[in-house]
Amino acid sequence: MAVSCSDRLRRKFRAARNVVVCTGAGMSAESGVPTYRGSEGIWKKFRPEQLASFDAFLSSPDLVWEWYRHRREIISSIEPNAGHIALAEMERSIEHVVIVTQNIDNLHRRAGSTRIHELHGNIERNYCIECGEFVTAQDVASSSAVPRCRHCGGLIRPDVVWFGEQLPEAAWTGAIEAVSTAEILLSVGTSGVVYPAASIPDIARRAGAYTVEINIEPTELSGSFNEVIRGTAGEALPMLLQVRTHSDQEK
Ligand code: OAD
């Protein structure tokens, strides 16, 4: 059965000027990026503290580097899906579309979205743990051992948020500012268990937004949304784009 939404959401979506879209790993699942907690999820195969913590990096830098290099390779070989593309197209028909993503895969930018707050960093960026110098993915792509900073010799790490680390302040502040004026908040493909990202739908709802979950399965947060769309990101987001563009054509 084709995925659909309520008449209430249709009306709201046709009129909306400020839409915030919070995305998680399920957003990129149809592109071929594994999620974290599904039956085939990354954290079913590896323990996060072995690969995604600063302590792990200091004790086994080459292992952690190699794992991120492998993930970077997967991501560079795949493409944004219909959901990413629908979100990028929404920017043309809605005044403010802001994406707040937990994903590090850069697929929103590659699809053409321009207002993006990356709460957990971006796998294509790297920086020196000693002097903070940024290094592009191209500069380090061929390295299978962890590279060293050309200025100070420090270890280069991926610019992603590891367990126990703070979110980048600018991304978090930007996200909170965006949700404070959002009329609609779409939460797409996240299990809603990692905080503070998981608190965003509730912050948006309390600020007056109509909140919608798009997910293939119920989550811990499903009961707190105004509406739930059961379907994939690649089905539901093009459906919402169509709701909007059809109404533009009728004007
Ligand atoms: P999870 O793996 O926890 O959850 C993915 C969600 O996507 C699940 O609720 C799935 O049901 C849903 N899903 C799967 N395929 C989908 C599809 N095609 N369309 C829509 N929904 C789909 O991933 P996140 O919630 O993003 O953090 O995980 C949050 C954080 O935990 C990640 O950013 C990462 C991880 O540890 C860090 O690395 C800091």
Side-chain angles (χ1 to χ4, degrees):
M1 206 175 73
V3 65
S4 66
C5 67
S6 70
D7 287 343
R8 188 170 181 209
L9 177 55
R10 277 173 197 280
R11 280 196 301 276
K12 284 182 177 291
F13 205 72
R14 283 182 182 136
R17 297 167 58 151
N18 289 291
V19 175
V20 174
V21 189
C22 277
T23 64
M27 178 78 225
S28 300
E30 288 156 282
S31 292
V33 185
T35 61
Y36 292 93
R37 296 180 180 77
S39 54
E40 295 295 305
I42 290 172
W43 298 151
K44 286 281 184 321
K45 297 181 187 138
F46 306 101
R47 281 191 296 133
E49 61 273 24
Q50 276 180 317
L51 294 164
S53 75
F54 192 61
D55 286 348
F57 183 64
L58 288 184
S59 59
S60 318
D62 288 342
L63 172 76
V64 173
W65 181 261
E66 176 55 22
W67 191 62
Y68 279 93
R69 192 179 71 88
H70 172 63
R71 291 183 66 195
R72 206 183 290 125
E73 260 175 26
I74 296 176
I75 287 164
S76 64
S77 69
I78 51 123
E79 297 296 331
N81 63 53
H84 294 107
I85 291 164
L87 289 181
E89 286 185 11
M90 278 178 202
E91 280 194 18
R92 290 192 207 119
S93 54
I94 302 175
E95 270 180 84
H96 291 285
V97 179
V98 176
I99 294 174
V100 177
T101 188
Q102 295 172 81
N103 298 343
I104 58 174
D105 58 28
N106 208 33
L107 288 178
H108 286 300
R109 196 166 285 110
R110 281 175 57 196
S113 288
T114 60
R115 295 192 195 101
I116 308 166
H117 298 296
E118 292 169 323
L119 297 183
H120 292 167
N122 185 317
I123 198 168
E124 294 197 358
R125 285 192 309 260
N126 303 274
Y127 66 93
C128 169
I129 65 168
E130 301 294 342
C131 71
E133 173 84 2
F134 276 90
V135 182
T136 64
Q138 288 85 340
D139 286 341
V140 293
S142 58
S143 257
S144 56
V146 63
R148 296 267 176 180
C149 177
R150 61 192 165 135
H151 299 292
C152 73
L155 295 171
I156 302 289
R157 62 165 281 178
D159 186 12
V160 299
V161 174
W162 281 330
F163 284 88
E165 294 184 327
Q166 299 281 322
L167 267 49
E169 202 183 322
W172 179 250
T173 311
I176 294 302
E177 258 173 42
V179 294
S180 69
T181 54
E183 293 152 83
I184 297 180
L185 180 287
L186 306 176
S187 173
V188 186
T190 174
S191 54
V193 296
V194 174
Y195 284 82
S199 62
I200 287 182
D202 199 44
I203 296 171
R205 192 176 47 78
R206 281 189 275 120
Y210 186 76
T211 61
V212 181
E213 176 177 72
I214 296 172
N215 200 304
I216 54 172
E217 286 174 0
T219 70
E220 296 196 8
L221 301 181
S222 295
S224 62
F225 285 92
N226 294 115
E227 178 162 343
V228 172
I229 299 177
R230 269 297 152 255
T232 72
E235 296 163 340
L237 294 167
M239 178 273 293
L240 286 175
L241 175 65
Q242 215 175 17
V243 164
R244 179 72 185 208
T245 48
H246 278 187
S247 79
D248 283 353
Q249 282 158 12
E250 282 160 18
K251 279 175 197 162

mmCIF file of all heavy atoms in Angstrom, residues 47 58 108-109 163 200 213 245 250:
data_model
loop_
_atom_site.group_PDB
_atom_site.id
_atom_site.type_symbol
_atom_site.label_atom_id
_atom_site.label_comp_id
_atom_site.label_asym_id
_atom_site.label_seq_id
_atom_site.Cartn_x
_atom_site.Cartn_y
_atom_site.Cartn_z
ATOM 1 N N ARG A 47 31.408 -3.361 19.261
ATOM 2 C CA ARG A 47 31.055 -2.600 20.458
ATOM 3 C C ARG A 47 31.471 -1.150 20.241
ATOM 4 O O ARG A 47 32.614 -0.891 19.869
ATOM 5 C CB ARG A 47 31.761 -3.186 21.683
ATOM 6 C CG ARG A 47 31.036 -4.441 22.188
ATOM 7 C CD ARG A 47 31.561 -4.876 23.535
ATOM 8 N NE ARG A 47 32.964 -5.281 23.463
ATOM 9 C CZ ARG A 47 33.915 -4.891 24.306
ATOM 10 N NH1 ARG A 47 33.636 -4.087 25.303
ATOM 11 N NH2 ARG A 47 35.153 -5.315 24.181
ATOM 12 N N LEU A 58 42.990 6.395 21.082
ATOM 13 C CA LEU A 58 44.334 6.538 21.650
ATOM 14 C C LEU A 58 45.000 5.186 21.834
ATOM 15 O O LEU A 58 46.204 5.038 21.627
ATOM 16 C CB LEU A 58 44.271 7.269 22.997
ATOM 17 C CG LEU A 58 43.954 8.763 22.916
ATOM 18 C CD1 LEU A 58 44.014 9.388 24.303
ATOM 19 C CD2 LEU A 58 44.911 9.489 21.971
ATOM 20 N N HIS A 108 23.133 14.420 2.576
ATOM 21 C CA HIS A 108 22.210 15.555 2.384
ATOM 22 C C HIS A 108 22.865 16.620 1.502
ATOM 23 O O HIS A 108 22.251 17.160 0.591
ATOM 24 C CB HIS A 108 21.819 16.169 3.727
ATOM 25 C CG HIS A 108 20.865 15.339 4.516
ATOM 26 N ND1 HIS A 108 19.613 15.010 4.037
ATOM 27 C CD2 HIS A 108 20.950 14.781 5.750
ATOM 28 C CE1 HIS A 108 18.971 14.284 4.953
ATOM 29 N NE2 HIS A 108 19.775 14.119 5.991
ATOM 30 N N ARG A 109 24.145 16.907 1.808
ATOM 31 C CA ARG A 109 24.833 17.942 1.018
ATOM 32 C C ARG A 109 25.000 17.457 -0.420
ATOM 33 O O ARG A 109 24.766 18.216 -1.364
ATOM 34 C CB ARG A 109 26.185 18.259 1.655
ATOM 35 C CG ARG A 109 26.775 19.561 1.145
ATOM 36 C CD ARG A 109 27.931 20.061 2.004
ATOM 37 N NE ARG A 109 27.501 20.627 3.267
ATOM 38 C CZ ARG A 109 27.707 20.060 4.462
ATOM 39 N NH1 ARG A 109 28.342 18.912 4.544
ATOM 40 N NH2 ARG A 109 27.290 20.629 5.561
ATOM 41 N N PHE A 163 31.416 8.564 21.478
ATOM 42 C CA PHE A 163 30.709 8.401 22.747
ATOM 43 C C PHE A 163 31.449 9.162 23.841
ATOM 44 O O PHE A 163 32.679 9.105 23.919
ATOM 45 C CB PHE A 163 30.546 6.921 23.097
ATOM 46 C CG PHE A 163 29.470 6.291 22.262
ATOM 47 C CD1 PHE A 163 29.761 5.739 21.026
ATOM 48 C CD2 PHE A 163 28.137 6.312 22.669
ATOM 49 C CE1 PHE A 163 28.764 5.205 20.221
ATOM 50 C CE2 PHE A 163 27.133 5.778 21.873
ATOM 51 C CZ PHE A 163 27.446 5.226 20.653
ATOM 52 N N ILE A 200 15.084 16.656 20.389
ATOM 53 C CA ILE A 200 14.678 17.739 19.478
ATOM 54 C C ILE A 200 13.176 17.708 19.129
ATOM 55 O O ILE A 200 12.512 18.746 19.185
ATOM 56 C CB ILE A 200 15.573 17.742 18.219
ATOM 57 C CG1 ILE A 200 16.948 18.266 18.645
ATOM 58 C CG2 ILE A 200 14.980 18.591 17.108
ATOM 59 C CD1 ILE A 200 17.941 18.386 17.538
ATOM 60 N N GLU A 213 6.669 11.632 12.882
ATOM 61 C CA GLU A 213 7.731 10.631 12.778
ATOM 62 C C GLU A 213 7.571 9.849 11.475
ATOM 63 O O GLU A 213 6.466 9.403 11.142
ATOM 64 C CB GLU A 213 7.652 9.637 13.946
ATOM 65 C CG GLU A 213 8.676 8.517 13.830
ATOM 66 C CD GLU A 213 8.661 7.569 15.024
ATOM 67 O OE1 GLU A 213 7.696 6.779 15.147
ATOM 68 O OE2 GLU A 213 9.604 7.629 15.835
ATOM 69 N N THR A 245 4.154 20.353 -3.903
ATOM 70 C CA THR A 245 4.294 20.893 -5.265
ATOM 71 C C THR A 245 2.951 20.880 -5.994
ATOM 72 O O THR A 245 2.659 21.779 -6.764
ATOM 73 C CB THR A 245 5.357 20.137 -6.085
ATOM 74 O OG1 THR A 245 5.126 18.746 -5.942
ATOM 75 C CG2 THR A 245 6.754 20.459 -5.608
ATOM 76 N N GLU A 250 -1.595 24.356 -8.105
ATOM 77 C CA GLU A 250 -3.009 24.743 -8.090
ATOM 78 C C GLU A 250 -3.194 26.231 -7.854
ATOM 79 O O GLU A 250 -4.240 26.779 -8.105
ATOM 80 C CB GLU A 250 -3.733 23.969 -6.960
ATOM 81 C CG GLU A 250 -4.034 22.523 -7.353
ATOM 82 C CD GLU A 250 -4.278 21.638 -6.123
ATOM 83 O OE1 GLU A 250 -4.546 22.207 -5.036
ATOM 84 O OE2 GLU A 250 -4.191 20.413 -6.259
#
